[in-house]
Amino acid sequence: MANEVRVRFAPSPTGPFHIGGARSALFNWLFARKMGGKMILRIEDTDLERSSRESEENIKAALKWLGMNWDEGIDVGGENGPYRQTERLEIYKKYTEKLLAEGKAYYCYCTDEELEAERQALVAEGKMPRYMGKCRHLTPEQVEQYKAEGRKPTVRFKVPADKQILVRDMVRGDVVFDSNGIGDFVIVKSDGIPTYNYAVVIDDALMHITHVIRAEEHLSNTPRQCLIYDALGFEKPTFGHISLILGKDHTKMSKRHGATSVDQYRQLGYLPEAIDNFLALLGWAPNSEQEIFSMDELVKEFSMDHVAKNPAVFDIDKLNWINQHYMRKLSRDEFYEAAKPHMVKKGFITGEEFGDKLEWLKDVVATAQQHVSYAAQVPDDVAMYFTDNFDFENDDAKNVLLEETVPQVIRLLFDKLPKLEVLDGPSVKATFKAIQKETKLGGKNVFMPIRVALTGNQHGPELAEMVPLLGLARTVSRIKNSLDKVGVQLY
Ligand code: GLU
């Protein structure tokens, strides 16, 4: 289709898939879906040392987990493949030969030491360090000499002088660069592998990419890429450089700020719909105050016009709030499934439970649903159901059990609980009420000793929720143990 929007996500598979990469992927995906266009997934693996198939798999898995499919690219194929850069070397070579033949590029034999010496000399003169074009005009004899020395050349692009380079950017507007600030740059390394700035242009052009949406850090690369588009006679796409992601302290997001990879969030039990929702708001703002968006709603609402120039701040509290929203909406079974791996990891369950035990576990886990932010928090939240031997949180808690009214309260409790027909929230509540009435004690004097005796803590979930889940036998034995520990006699 002639005017079809075609965007691409082009990650370098060089490590954990960063949350910023996922945000770039999402903006591309939303834009493609919104415009009825195509999303292409290309793997930029020209950094042979750092690229790995493992990282590539990880990226694909993360995109799938986040619900972003692609129409063309790695795995799914398409007319414009291959979609892995190391499988496209012949293609780049053809264009390099063309540029060399047209005098738009040249072989450079400078060694790293020579380049470094040039750099230092420029810095010493107070000039901007860049390649000054030493190998632009080598004589055939010099070339022979270098070859005889065994030097392996790179290919450099001949940057035209005195050119204003205009980058049309959907986010930043028109940005102009001066070609005199750019030295002749390497497009093919001495091992024959193209550099990012070179391969990306050929690929984007041949894959008919209409909009290049990517991180702001690539804005400074864009004038170099524009020069290559022009040199090869390719039409330039529209660019959209989305802002950096900063930590809450407004410095560049890094490991210091907590988890930075998609996988870390997945492992902590964040939900993909929450991550998508959160990432969409990192730089894009809807028309309204609405903050919770499903993927379908995002597709409908998303627009590059509402993508901000200024940096986006990664606010973990907001992510937690959004995730909590989605966690609360899970069914009892879904919530249990989300919590399960974390419960297994903590050693509270084997994950093989069935029947009554499984139903009990689901009930226990469900007590955490309304207040945890992400699934990895569940085990700590329900830990007391799995630990009958606990310590008192502090002396204050212990002292609660030493109040003189405690034996009377507990005696009544032990008398009444076994007589209940069903042990559930309402019957437990009614029991507490009855004890209050008989003892004429305030609520706190009834609840607090029971709570401390049951858990060792002065805070925690509702007793009416806890007692039925613990059951009669465990309730009684826990309370007895606690009283024994502080030396309180019941009878
Ligand atoms: N491989 C580059 C990266 O991961 C892609 C940049 C681009 O989208 O052009 O940063």
Side-chain angles (χ1 to χ4, degrees):
M1 222 200 298
N3 291 320
E4 182 184 63
V5 162
R6 291 172 60 85
V7 298
R8 82 319 189 259
F9 179 54
S12 304
T14 52
F17 186 37
H18 195 270
I19 205 86
R23 199 252 327 229
S24 296
L26 181 64
F27 281 25
N28 276 289
W29 188 86
L30 290 173
F31 186 66
R33 294 295 166 257
K34 163 101 189 182
M35 307 300 285
K38 294 265 171 4
M39 165 93 165
I40 288 101
L41 178 62
R42 179 175 75 229
I43 298 295
E44 302 207 327
D45 60 345
T46 54
D47 185 338
L48 303 182
E49 249 164 56
R50 294 175 58 230
S51 296
S52 74
R53 280 299 168 99
E54 186 196 345
S55 163
E56 181 182 317
E57 290 306 320
N58 196 279
I59 293 168
K60 290 188 296 194
L63 291 175
K64 286 181 194 161
W65 181 67
L66 291 169
M68 290 182 241
N69 58 335
W70 53 98
D71 308 292
E72 231 183 272
I74 212 78
D75 290 356
V76 305
E79 286 169 19
N80 307 289
Y83 293 93
R84 196 180 281 117
Q85 287 188 325
T86 49
E87 290 165 20
R88 300 174 60 79
L89 299 180
E90 285 306 312
I91 300 174
Y92 309 127
K93 211 166 149 195
K94 216 178 71 200
Y95 286 99
T96 309
E97 279 159 13
K98 183 165 138 78
L99 289 175
L100 286 165
E102 291 173 0
K104 293 175 179 167
Y106 60 92
Y107 287 112
C108 168
Y109 291 89
C110 292
T111 61
D112 288 346
E113 294 72 36
E114 286 164 350
L115 294 171
E116 181 55 23
E118 176 181 72
R119 204 187 71 83
Q120 283 184 10
L122 285 168
V123 171
E125 286 173 47
K127 291 191 181 141
M128 202 184 49
R130 66 203 149 101
Y131 186 68
M132 299 302 282
K134 183 169 163 226
C135 291
R136 266 196 189 203
H137 309 288
L138 295 179
T139 62
E141 293 75 36
Q142 283 170 308
V143 171
E144 281 317 308
Q145 164 78 27
Y146 285 147
K147 279 188 181 164
E149 286 172 21
R151 294 193 187 198
K152 284 230 177 319
T154 59
V155 179
R156 282 186 189 269
F157 182 77
K158 214 184 258 180
V159 174
D162 306 325
K163 234 183 123 157
Q164 299 291 299
I165 306 159
L166 173 67
V167 176
R168 304 224 104 119
D169 195 286
M170 291 186 279
V171 180
R172 266 140 241 286
D174 287 352
V175 191
V176 180
F177 294 86
D178 181 349
S179 73
N180 292 336
I182 306 172
D184 292 350
F185 56 93
V186 174
I187 55 175
V188 182
K189 290 177 277 184
S190 56
D191 58 3
I193 303 292
T195 58
Y196 157 68
N197 275 319
Y198 182 50
V200 75
V201 170
I202 294 174
D203 291 348
D204 284 342
L206 297 186
M207 294 177 189
H208 311 290
I209 301 302
T210 58
H211 296 77
V212 167
I213 300 169
R214 62 186 170 198
E216 184 184 348
E217 63 198 14
H218 289 296
L219 181 63
S220 59
N221 286 319
T222 310
R224 288 177 181 78
Q225 295 174 17
C226 287
L227 291 172
I228 295 171
Y229 276 100
D230 290 344
L232 290 173
F234 290 142
E235 201 183 317
K236 289 193 268 291
T238 303
F239 294 96
H241 286 95
I242 52 185
S243 61
L244 290 176
I245 301 178
L246 303 182
K248 242 185 162 172
D249 58 357
H250 289 244
T251 62
K252 193 167 178 213
M253 174 90 171
S254 71
K255 295 211 173 88
R256 260 182 324 111
H257 296 101
T260 52
S261 76
V262 174
D263 221 39
Q264 284 171 298
Y265 286 98
R266 190 181 58 76
Q267 282 177 21
L268 284 169
Y270 284 83
L271 297 168
E273 47 274 53
I275 302 275
D276 283 325
N277 190 152
F278 174 71
L279 290 179
L281 297 174
L282 272 186
W284 168 77
N287 269 322
S288 64
E289 300 280 292
Q290 186 178 341
E291 297 204 270
I292 298 293
F293 291 90
S294 67
M295 271 299 236
D296 286 345
E297 286 175 308
L298 285 174
V299 168
K300 233 183 262 157
E301 300 276 325
F302 186 78
S303 119
M304 285 301 290
D305 298 342
H306 280 79
V307 172
K309 250 194 254 188
N310 44 339
V313 176
F314 189 100
D315 180 354
I316 187 74
D317 295 331
K318 180 150 184 186
L319 172 58
N320 285 341
W321 176 80
I322 293 175
N323 202 64
Q324 184 174 53
H325 169 89
Y326 287 96
M327 296 288 274
R328 284 178 174 172
K329 290 205 329 206
L330 297 179
S331 70
R332 175 174 175 269
D333 284 348
E334 286 168 340
F335 187 74
Y336 181 72
E337 284 308 313
K340 192 164 138 182
H342 305 281
M343 295 289 288
V344 171
K345 202 166 153 200
K346 196 82 179 195
F348 288 165
I349 64 172
T350 63
E352 312 284 318
E353 289 80 1
F354 59 92
D356 288 351
K357 180 79 194 279
L358 178 61
E359 289 311 311
W360 178 78
L361 284 173
K362 285 182 183 176
D363 286 341
V364 165
V365 164
T367 64
Q369 184 161 4
Q370 292 307 309
H371 50 267
V372 294
S373 298
Y374 50 92
Q377 291 177 327
V378 173
D380 281 349
D381 202 78
V382 299
M384 57 160 188
Y385 291 103
F386 300 88
T387 32
D388 284 331
N389 288 322
F390 48 84
D391 293 323
F392 296 103
E393 61 173 338
N394 52 33
D395 284 345
D396 277 357
K398 235 185 250 179
N399 290 336
V400 167
L401 296 184
L402 299 175
E403 299 277 336
E404 57 178 4
T405 51
V406 170
Q408 187 196 6
V409 169
I410 302 296
R411 276 197 305 267
L412 283 171
L413 184 74
F414 282 4
D415 178 48
K416 290 177 188 299
L417 281 186
K419 294 182 186 147
L420 295 176
E421 253 170 60
V422 274
L423 188 65
D424 61 9
S427 68
V428 168
K429 267 189 198 155
T431 306
F432 292 155
K433 274 253 162 67
I435 296 175
Q436 247 178 283
K437 215 164 158 197
E438 277 179 51
T439 57
K440 301 203 172 53
L441 288 171
K444 201 174 163 211
N445 288 310
V446 175
F447 304 138
M448 201 49 94
I450 299 175
R451 171 182 296 292
V452 170
L454 273 177
T455 67
N457 283 294
Q458 286 179 277
H459 306 278
E462 287 270 327
L463 286 174
E465 172 180 89
M466 205 155 75
V467 171
L469 283 172
L470 283 172
L472 182 62
R474 284 177 82 195
T475 298
V476 169
S477 78
R478 279 187 177 215
I479 293 176
K480 275 188 180 155
N481 280 343
S482 291
L483 294 180
D484 277 354
K485 268 194 227 161
V486 293
V488 170
Q489 301 277 340
L490 271 188
Y491 302 99

